[in-house]
Amino acid sequence: MTEKLELLAQLMTEKLGERAKRVVNACGEVTVVVSAADYLAVAAELRDDPALHFEQLIDLTGVDYSSYAGEGQGGRFAASVHLLSVKNNYRLRLKVFAEDESFPVLASLCEIWPSANWFEREAFDLFGILFSGHPDLRRILTDYGFVGYPFRKDFPISGYVEMRYDQELGRVVYQPVSIEPRENTPRIVRDENYGNVGHG
């Protein structure tokens, strides 16, 4: 397995050249990072090159690196795409960072892998990443009137508004959140003498 991953990492370096900003072989997976400008062309090559032949897009998700404490990533918002080559028995993660974190836009992969459609809609709905060229980019999990993007790290846990059914009006209404901010970790309540020697 290790040899196969090393071979795939080497193949990515050879095939993509300078377009591969980083090729990482870690934790039993190979990740290739490309720029937003090269994203679409690299994706098409990954699908069409017989030595690669990544015919299936398994998953695509958005990522928010705003409070990431690790090594510099290259931006706040990224799309992480998981690809499978059944023919060559390879799995690959393709990662791309949006250039503008205030208005993140990436190219859509729907023309290359139609399965990207719903995944890109999720990334748009939850992270606010726009995919140019997407045939139907609209919310998929949140309500049409939802404000903000709930998977962004700066989105409040309780949200901005809540909805409820109003009996008098006979419809769903939106109102400001009435939930008081609270700690996410439960407090541990111990009796007064807990831990004292001889307490029993």
Side-chain angles (χ1 to χ4, degrees):
M1 185 68 172
T2 306
E3 288 178 15
K4 192 162 184 71
L5 291 173
E6 288 172 4
L7 179 64
L8 178 58
Q10 183 181 346
L11 196 57
M12 290 295 105
T13 304
E14 290 170 6
K15 293 282 186 181
L16 301 180
E18 292 182 2
R19 293 178 298 168
K21 301 291 182 198
R22 274 194 321 258
V23 178
V24 181
N25 180 0
C27 302
E29 299 175 324
V30 175
T31 302
V32 178
V33 181
V34 298
S35 70
D38 293 327
Y39 181 47
L40 210 53
V42 166
E45 187 174 335
L46 291 173
R47 182 195 64 186
D48 298 337
D49 188 315
L52 305 171
H53 202 268
F54 287 98
E55 67 266 53
Q56 286 188 334
L57 182 147
I58 301 298
D59 187 24
L60 180 151
T61 187
V63 185
D64 180 357
Y65 284 100
S66 65
S67 60
Y68 183 68
E71 187 180 320
Q73 291 292 315
R76 176 176 175 182
F77 295 105
S80 183
V81 184
H82 294 245
L83 303 172
L84 172 66
S85 171
V86 176
K87 178 183 175 186
N88 296 317
N89 193 23
Y90 286 142
R91 289 182 182 270
L92 178 74
R93 178 184 297 115
L94 175 65
K95 190 184 288 186
V96 60
F97 286 85
E99 293 174 352
D100 183 357
E101 67 180 54
S102 63
F103 191 69
V105 180
L106 295 169
S108 173
L109 297 179
C110 288
E111 288 291 317
I112 298 170
W113 295 288
S115 62
N117 189 316
W118 281 47
F119 296 124
E120 288 178 349
R121 284 181 64 187
E122 284 180 343
F124 162 68
D125 190 9
L126 301 175
F127 291 94
I129 300 170
L130 296 164
F131 292 89
S132 63
H134 191 286
D136 185 23
L137 195 62
R138 59 192 162 99
R139 293 198 180 268
I140 192 170
L141 295 172
T142 61
D143 187 49
Y144 293 119
F146 193 86
V147 176
Y149 305 100
F151 280 15
R152 286 189 177 186
K153 291 185 179 175
D154 55 5
F155 190 83
I157 292 173
S158 58
Y160 296 112
V161 295
E162 62 187 18
M163 66 179 204
R164 65 175 178 80
Y165 183 78
D166 188 297
Q167 289 283 355
E168 293 176 12
L169 296 174
R171 64 181 175 87
V172 172
V173 295
Y174 294 88
Q175 62 192 40
V177 173
S178 61
I179 300 170
E180 292 294 322
R182 63 184 190 273
E183 294 179 26
N184 287 333
T185 52
R187 288 185 326 140
I188 298 172
V189 180
R190 303 193 192 278
D191 67 0
E192 202 172 295
N193 297 320
Y194 180 80
N196 290 348
V197 179
H199 177 66

